[in-house]
Amino acid sequence: LQAFNETTGEDLSWFFDQWFFQAGYPLLKLKHSQTDIRLSVTITQEHPNQPYRIAGTLRATGADAAQVVDSQVELNDATTTVEIDCPFPVIKVEFDPEGRLLKKIIDRQE
């Protein structure tokens, strides 16, 4: 840990605490609602440990394949709510749509 901290010039103890010393991985529940062009997405971390600190893409998709809005979000708390301008009716919301992060989406509500 000390070598990583010295090399980056940052305290990375949070990273090692969550990914090496804490059992499990993020369990996320997504819920969204939309009013006109305003989309509200709430992401809840559903696991017994401390909330994970993760960043990823939040993707809102409409009925047409060209209707996509991507936003970068950071999850640091047990519950994170994000507000996004979305000029089309949203039919699907995904966190990390490319599947790059270790996590599980549970009880998806769309």
Side-chain angles (χ1 to χ4, degrees):
L1 176 61
Q2 184 177 352
F4 287 102
N5 289 344
E6 289 174 5
T7 300
T8 63
E10 296 180 35
D11 179 8
L12 296 176
S13 58
W14 66 269
F15 177 84
F16 287 91
D17 286 345
Q18 79 180 24
W19 293 113
F20 292 100
F21 303 124
Q22 176 174 282
Y25 50 86
L27 302 174
L28 308 176
K29 180 167 47 172
L30 282 70
K31 184 177 180 181
H32 75 274
S33 61
Q34 187 173 13
T35 307
D36 295 323
I37 66 165
R38 197 73 175 155
L39 176 68
S40 178
V41 180
T42 300
I43 303 171
T44 305
Q45 297 195 41
E46 298 277 331
H47 51 80
N49 302 320
Q50 291 282 43
Y52 282 83
R53 183 175 160 185
I54 55 177
T57 301
L58 183 66
R59 176 169 291 160
T61 308
D64 185 318
Q67 294 176 321
V68 175
V69 172
D70 284 347
S71 297
Q72 295 302 309
V73 297
E74 270 191 47
L75 308 179
N76 296 318
D77 300 315
T79 301
T80 303
T81 299
V82 180
E83 301 279 330
I84 304 167
D85 285 335
C86 198
F88 52 83
V90 173
I91 61 168
K92 185 176 183 181
V93 175
E94 300 171 279
F95 178 73
D96 182 35
E98 285 85 22
R100 295 179 179 162
L101 302 173
L102 176 61
K103 53 65 179 94
K104 181 177 181 182
I105 305 296
I106 58 172
D107 194 25
R108 180 176 282 157
Q109 297 179 9
E110 301 186 312

